[in-house]
Amino acid sequence: MKETADVLFEYLKNILYDPDHAKLDIDALPEEFRRFGEGMRFLSECVRESRTFAKAMAKGDLSKTPPSGNNVLAAPVKELQNSLRHLAWQTQQVAKGDYSQSVDFMGEFSQAFNTMTAQLKERQESLIQEKQIIEAKNLELERNLELVMALTNYTHNMIFIYSVEGHELLFSNDAAKWFLTMRPQAGEKVLKEILDKEPELTDSSFIWELEVQCGEEDMRDRYFGVESYQFSWRDRMAVVHILTDDTERKNKENLMTKLAYADPLTGLNNRRYAMDLMKRWMNEKIPFVISFVDIDYLKYCNDTLGHKCGDEYLTETANALKSLGGVVCRIGGDEFIILQTGISAGTQDENLDALRSLMQKKCSSNYPQSFSYASCEVPESPEMSLEDYIKLVDTKMYEYKVKHKIPLKDMVYRDDRI
């Protein structure tokens, strides 16, 4: 009797602590305990099923088939499974935007879940209101944009809008379309220039000038003032270029510059230009060479053959001096100045001497051709004022003229009037 009780007690312990290995040989029990043993075996099966089911739920597996209805031990766990499945479904509904879900079990978790869904619902309603406001503003902006696009067709300025990515032309107004149609070659150059300029753009506006050589389409070059900046165009980053035709103003400005700095006869720069350039070079500490050139026999040419012949003499000499390079300026009736960097005074004098000899040899006119010259260097750090350098080279030039100019009586040349 005692041995049977010990066997049953040991089996009960295994049912509770190790149900997978709990075993009982009912046939080995006394006959009066066999019915009891069958009951304990049923209990063992219920515990094993409940334990397996609970382990699956503990790992998050809510799809496990619950034990049969005869297993009363698993009933609470089955209810928990049903509750968790419903909670999972409610969570999926919340994820889809249904914030009306609420939980009425699990204590603090229920409070936290219900608070979360209430906040999400409130946030959703707020976002819906904000969306409606934004949509209304977008609609208003779209209408305003359409109005602006319509108004751009009443301006003479050309407007081009390109996407930042892909450089796709998103918009051009009537003035731009007309220019591209009527001036296709110039239009192609304009588009190339504005697209090449885009890498230099920043978030702020960029103002620059554009010069286009129209060629056969138009005898005049065209000048444009351009304002470019990035902005958002219908949800795309874009760059707008607004081109103002500046040709008339630029031509007037060039004419004023020409009148102020150019010699009308030779087309060279004048004394004012030479003085401004020398002052700028001295301020920027750029070393250069000054060369003074004075035409010989110009008075004789004017007095004997007339001023038209004298003008031709001046023009021929100007063209010859331009062949030396540098900046050639006419500073007086028969005086020129040459300004050049990257050369020594000695080398410049050699060049001038060679040019003088060439003019004398090739002279085929009715009058002698020659010039007197002198050069001096203005260093990076000048030791004298500009006026002193000018006086120095002017003095050297007249010393050269006294020494090297051949008197007219010794010149051999042909005068058709004699």
Side-chain angles (χ1 to χ4, degrees), residues 97-115:
D98 179 8
Y99 303 127
S100 63
Q101 302 297 323
S102 62
V103 178
D104 56 2
F105 76 103
M106 297 180 70
E108 293 181 355
F109 174 81
S110 299
Q111 295 178 359
F113 184 90
N114 295 336
T115 301

Side-chain angles (χ1 to χ4, degrees), residues 168-194:
E168 178 186 351
L169 180 60
L170 304 177
F171 174 79
S172 59
N173 66 345
D174 285 351
K177 294 174 182 176
W178 179 89
F179 185 80
L180 295 178
T181 302
M182 302 302 295
R183 300 280 191 274
Q185 295 179 11
E188 184 178 348
K189 294 177 182 179
V190 166
L191 296 182
K192 182 180 184 304
E193 289 290 336
I194 62 179

Side-chain angles (χ1 to χ4, degrees), residues 112-126:
F113 184 90
N114 295 336
T115 301
M116 178 191 70
T117 53
Q119 291 175 344
L120 289 173
K121 184 176 182 180
E122 181 180 351
R123 179 58 178 165
Q124 182 189 45
E125 293 173 351
S126 176

Side-chain angles (χ1 to χ4, degrees), residues 314-325 328 338 355 359 371:
L314 280 166
T315 303
E316 289 177 11
T317 305
N319 291 334
L321 293 175
K322 285 194 293 184
S323 68
L324 298 178
V328 183
I338 304 174
L355 181 62
M359 286 182 62
F371 59 81

Side-chain angles (χ1 to χ4, degrees), residues 206-221:
F206 184 69
I207 300 175
W208 52 290
E209 292 184 351
L210 170 61
E211 178 181 355
V212 178
Q213 297 179 349
C214 295
E216 297 180 357
E217 292 181 342
D218 194 336
M219 295 303 294
R220 302 179 305 166
D221 292 343

Side-chain angles (χ1 to χ4, degrees), residues 60-71:
D61 182 7
L62 301 180
S63 63
K64 190 75 173 178
T65 302
S68 63
N70 294 331
N71 191 340

